[in-house]
Amino acid sequence: MRKGTQQNVDEAETFCDTLKILIFDVDIDDLARHAEPFEAQGFEVHKCMSVETAMRCVEREELDFALLDQGSPTFEGLRVIRHLVRYNVRTPFVVMTRCKDILCRQEAFALGAVDYLEKPVPTEEMNWIIRNYFGNLLKK
């Protein structure tokens, strides 16, 4: 095999092995803060600030994990969750919020959320999530 061909194969394998994460958050600072630990581990992070953009990403990408902002107590993120569940029921997702609401929490868990966290999620907790779900797949 030619050297150039081997390089293309290696790059393709690396690309295929990249874990894809969706982060939906309407707050640009929270979006950047929550994406940073995933990016540091080499994840392909799709950052979305609108429901519509997040829903298009769900349709286009085979996602490995999703971190979704609830939004206000009216639960704007619910549209993204329902879309995610429709397109890929196996994608684990966590809901984050600044305004904890028991009904929103119950609805999130009923749809399959693996956690419901108060924002801003500390970096240590984000790192725990990464280790918990992807520990054996992380860069060394």
Side-chain angles (χ1 to χ4, degrees):
M1 184 181 297
R2 291 186 356 243
K3 184 177 180 179
T5 304
Q6 181 61 45
Q7 182 180 359
N8 291 342
V9 170
D10 291 342
E11 288 173 3
E13 287 174 0
T14 301
F15 181 76
C16 291
D17 291 342
T18 302
L19 297 168
K20 295 181 182 181
I21 309 300
L22 167 66
I23 301 180
F24 161 68
D25 202 314
V26 296
D27 183 297
I28 193 163
D29 294 328
D30 284 344
L31 184 64
R33 180 178 28 263
H34 295 137
E36 187 176 294
F38 288 98
E39 292 171 332
Q41 289 294 335
F43 290 82
E44 180 181 322
V45 180
H46 297 270
K47 297 178 261 191
C48 303
M49 290 186 63
S50 74
V51 169
E52 292 74 19
T53 304
M55 289 171 60
R56 282 193 304 273
C57 182
V58 165
E59 292 171 11
R60 285 191 320 261
E61 300 294 338
E62 183 85 21
L63 299 165
D64 296 293
F65 191 80
L67 194 59
L68 308 167
D69 184 21
Q70 171 184 304
S72 71
T74 59
F75 205 171
E76 293 86 357
L78 185 58
R79 287 179 54 207
V80 179
I81 293 170
R82 287 187 174 140
H83 212 63
L84 179 66
V85 171
R86 182 178 329 130
Y87 277 85
N88 192 346
V89 71
R90 296 180 189 266
T91 301
F93 65 93
V94 169
V95 175
M96 310 171 294
T97 185
R98 286 200 191 284
C99 49
K100 290 174 112 175
D101 180 281
I102 190 67
L103 295 176
C104 293
R105 181 178 185 204
Q106 289 172 339
E107 191 158 14
F109 281 121
L111 288 168
V114 295
D115 213 337
Y116 184 87
L117 305 173
E118 188 168 3
K119 287 173 46 178
V121 179
T123 301
E124 301 79 36
E125 191 163 5
M126 202 61 68
N127 286 330
W128 180 88
I129 290 169
I130 293 169
R131 283 190 312 274
N132 187 51
Y133 288 97
F134 304 103
N136 61 339
L137 302 174
L138 297 177
K139 298 190 295 189
K140 302 297 180 214

